[in-house]
Amino acid sequence: MGYSSLLSVSLCVLLLFSSCYAQIEQLAARQHQQQRRGLERFQSQCQLQNLNVLQPNRKIKSEAGTTEIWDQSQEELQCAGVVVVRHKFEQRGLLLPSYNNAPQLMYVVQGRGIHGAAFPGCPETFQSTQQSQHQRPAERGQQSGDEHQKVREFREGDVIALPAGVSQWIYNNGESQLVLVSLVDQSNFANQLDPNYRKFFLAGNPQEEVQGSLQDRESEREERRERRGNNIFSRLDERTLADAFNIDTQLARKLQSQDDKRGIIVRAKEDFQVVRPGRQQEEEYEHEERRRESRDNGLEETFCTMRLKHNIADPKSADIYNPRAGRISTVNNYNLPILKFLRLSAEHGTLYRNGIYAPHWNINAHSIVYVTKGSGRCQIVDNNGNQVFNDRVEEGQLLVVPQNFAVVKQASSEGFEWIAFKTNENAKISPLAGRTSVTRAIPEEVLMNSFRISREEARRLKFNRQETSLLQSTKSQQEY
């Protein structure tokens, strides 16, 4: 009897295991099919015959600044699967709280400011609980100060990371214009909607032009006019809002911002008095965070404690430096661990007069290059050996370098500086010239037979450059 019961239990367990294994196989097969479909989509969008320097197509004016958007329907941006936006803030300009449907990397081109990101479930660790002298007796003991999640001061050269669906606000507390350029990775796995750029505002009455692409905006103009709205509160019932926040309906209507014509960058009535540590205290805190990150095994850290910014333009943090050619700095999942979840990284490059960034290709990422200063000449070649780009790029322009396409950059007489957003958390390049190049790694015999050259020529090809990736021009008199 006991043997029969044991046999029955064993059969049941075996059937259950077989069923679970079959479901796992089906799930894996579905995921593989989805990956293949996604791969085909990218292949169909990257059949590029020529690349172009890109300028923003839309300019949206607000009360205290402007927003410029590169049209995502352009072939180069479709290939990379990204959207690029540039914000220009006047003094006391505030970008209204909002969130995106995909991860975002921002680079501070000019100025300084304050950045706030609200992560669900994280504590309000910044608190000010001074009791007001004008508080009525019945209100004594109630919260009279403010408390909120951590805010971060940033400066020129900082890269700021933001996961999909996390709301943020940005404020210019400097004395000059603040300029930010940001990349939104629409093809990222975190975007479960569609490839269109979607920005969800918590406040204000944003213009329709912020959403979607130019092509969508033209084809859906009538439909958008009929269903025009503003922030995410605008079409919720005011009584429901009042009940949810435990406020009166008059205040609930203010959340809906029906008559707000200020745009998405508004001017604060007076300078912000948000609770935040001094600049020196924040730098000390960031230094301690980096020390903790180097000790942690990756399990202790959460989004609540992760660093969101890293300065990439500081010459002291250069990864590659040649005093006669320039410097390169990178930020990736190693020095900013949150990028591991966003699957993005960035490179900052500075070339001195006529300096050369050695010919190379991006192994595992597209590179979206935004010129921050100066100008230079870029040449790009595709897999068929066709030159798809050979032109000058200047400050404020955008150039997309698809994955594996060979590229070389050379600065003009005024120098060349850029920020390159990469669609991989640990983007890598393979140089074609220099001490760490693929040419240096290939045996002489292979080079001799491949290029039909002599042994002496093969050795010159391999060893004439002792630099790594940044090269001093031997023809410095040539101007680009």
Side-chain angles (χ1 to χ4, degrees):
M1 183 69 178
Y3 175 78
S4 176
S5 300
L6 182 61
L7 181 61
S8 299
V9 171
S10 300
L11 287 172
C12 289
V13 171
L14 182 62
L15 288 171
L16 180 62
F17 175 79
S18 300
S19 175
C20 292
Y21 185 74
Q23 291 179 3
I24 292 172
E25 280 190 323
Q26 291 175 2
L27 179 61
R30 284 198 299 270
Q31 289 178 340
H32 180 66
Q33 290 174 359
Q34 291 173 355
Q35 290 173 355
R36 289 192 60 184
R37 284 197 297 270
L39 183 61
E40 291 169 359
R41 178 174 67 87
F42 281 105
Q43 287 175 341
S44 65
Q45 292 179 351
C46 285
Q47 302 300 320
L48 301 171
Q49 304 301 319
N50 289 288
L51 297 173
N52 299 294
V53 169
L54 304 179
Q55 298 276 15
N57 303 79
R58 283 175 282 170
K59 186 174 183 178
I60 305 166
K61 294 184 178 181
S62 298
E63 179 186 47
T66 58
T67 300
E68 298 166 299
I69 304 176
W70 278 259
D71 180 24
Q72 70 178 95
S73 65
Q74 296 177 102
E75 289 183 340
E76 294 87 348
L77 294 179
Q78 282 192 346
C79 172
V82 301
V83 174
V84 180
V85 180
R86 181 168 62 201
H87 293 295
K88 296 180 179 179
F89 299 72
E90 298 172 8
Q91 283 184 278
R92 301 204 319 274
L94 169 67
L95 179 65
L96 294 174
S98 63
Y99 56 92
N100 300 318
N101 60 326
Q104 180 177 5
L105 271 190
M106 293 173 281
Y107 178 74
V108 185
V109 179
Q110 175 186 320
R112 62 183 178 89
I114 305 173
H115 176 255
F119 287 89
C122 295
E124 293 83 13
T125 54
F126 283 32
Q127 298 178 346
S128 173
T129 56
Q130 292 87 356
Q131 195 173 58
S132 172
Q133 296 179 354
H134 304 288
Q135 201 170 11
R136 291 177 296 184
E139 295 176 342
R140 296 295 170 92
Q142 295 181 7
Q143 183 69 39
S144 60
D146 189 19
E147 58 181 36
H148 51 76
Q149 289 188 16
K150 179 180 179 179
V151 298
R152 301 161 178 86
E153 291 202 51
F154 60 80
R155 59 187 173 93
E156 183 176 322
D158 278 347
V159 170
I160 305 172
L162 190 73
V166 174
S167 64
Q168 68 165 348
W169 55 267
I170 298 170
Y171 177 68
N172 179 11
N173 69 337
E175 298 178 355
S176 62
Q177 186 183 56
L178 168 64
V179 181
L180 300 176
V181 60
S182 64
L183 175 136
V184 183
D185 186 12
Q186 296 299 123
S187 62
N188 194 282
F189 74 102
N191 178 17
Q192 305 270 318
L193 293 174
D194 54 44
N196 290 322
Y197 175 50
R198 296 173 183 261
K199 197 168 188 67
F200 300 81
F201 283 89
L202 277 65
N205 189 1
Q207 300 95 326
E208 295 177 10
E209 287 81 358
V210 176
Q211 314 293 347
S213 67
L214 282 176
Q215 182 178 352
D216 296 335
R217 190 159 53 88
E218 292 294 334
S219 62
E220 299 178 4
R221 183 177 298 171
E222 293 299 325
E223 182 182 354
R224 286 181 182 272
R225 187 177 291 121
E226 291 176 3
R227 56 184 174 85
R228 185 171 183 174
N230 40 47
N231 66 56
I232 59 176
F233 294 119
S234 63
R235 291 298 181 264
L236 297 178
D237 182 74
E238 63 185 42
R239 289 172 295 183
T240 304
L241 280 177
D243 199 14
F245 283 95
N246 192 24
I247 56 177
D248 56 52
T249 55
Q250 183 179 3
L251 181 53
R253 280 193 294 271
K254 291 182 179 180
L255 295 180
Q256 297 176 328
S257 305
Q258 297 292 346
D259 299 320
D260 194 337
K261 306 298 183 183
R262 297 175 298 168
I264 63 175
I265 302 177
V266 303
R267 193 182 310 280
K269 292 182 178 180
E270 55 186 30
D271 198 21
F272 265 25
Q273 300 297 324
V274 296
V275 182
R276 67 184 191 276
R279 187 177 298 274
Q280 183 176 354
Q281 290 177 297
E282 185 167 0
E283 289 176 355
E284 292 174 355
Y285 180 73
E286 287 185 0
H287 179 69
E288 181 59 32
E289 281 183 323
R290 290 191 182 93
R291 289 182 56 190
R292 187 184 67 248
E293 288 169 355
S294 65
R295 297 192 303 266
D296 288 350
N297 60 16
L299 298 177
E300 296 90 344
E301 195 166 31
T302 67
F303 282 116
C304 299
T305 57
M306 278 187 172
R307 286 186 301 118
L308 299 185
K309 67 183 178 73
H310 180 88
N311 193 278
I312 197 174
D314 189 343
K316 293 182 293 185
S317 64
D319 298 307
I320 303 172
Y321 175 64
N322 182 336
R324 294 175 297 277
R327 62 182 186 270
I328 298 290
S329 300
T330 56
V331 57
N332 53 34
N333 62 311
Y334 293 110
N335 51 12
L336 190 60
I338 194 172
L339 296 180
K340 176 174 61 177
F341 302 97
L342 273 61
R343 299 185 182 178
L344 293 169
S345 59
E347 168 194 274
H348 182 271
T350 300
L351 289 178
Y352 305 147
R353 177 187 174 94
N354 298 322
I356 300 173
Y357 191 6
H360 64 275
W361 71 85
N362 293 281
I363 294 176
N364 57 354
H366 298 301
S367 180
I368 297 86
V369 181
Y370 176 83
V371 183
T372 57
K373 289 180 183 177
S375 62
R377 179 188 177 196
C378 292
Q379 301 175 62
I380 304 175
V381 176
D382 68 7
N383 58 296
N384 293 317
N386 298 319
Q387 190 177 71
V388 293
F389 186 83
N390 181 8
D391 206 347
R392 180 186 178 99
V393 289
E394 300 177 342
E395 182 176 341
Q397 293 181 332
L398 193 74
L399 180 65
V400 176
V401 183
Q403 178 186 5
N404 297 147
F405 281 38
V407 58
V408 59
K409 301 183 181 80
Q410 182 164 13
S412 66
S413 59
E414 59 184 339
F416 186 26
E417 188 172 321
W418 70 89
I419 180 74
F421 300 103
K422 306 290 187 84
T423 57
N424 188 292
E425 70 272 21
N426 188 21
K428 298 180 176 65
I429 68 165
S430 182
L432 287 160
R435 183 162 49 87
T436 59
S437 68
V438 62
T439 309
R440 188 79 171 257
I442 295 176
E444 292 177 1
E445 297 287 340
V446 176
L447 295 175
M448 291 165 57
N449 286 279
S450 297
F451 297 112
R452 295 184 292 183
I453 58 179
S454 67
R455 185 175 300 278
E456 192 274 332
E457 288 174 321
R459 289 180 177 175
R460 292 209 314 267
L461 188 65
K462 290 186 65 169
F463 301 113
N464 269 15
R465 281 290 188 184
Q466 297 304 314
E467 304 100 315
T468 52
S469 299
L470 300 178
L471 316 174
Q472 182 184 21
S473 175
T474 57
K475 300 178 176 59
S476 59
Q477 75 275 9
Q478 187 170 359
E479 296 288 337
Y480 290 103

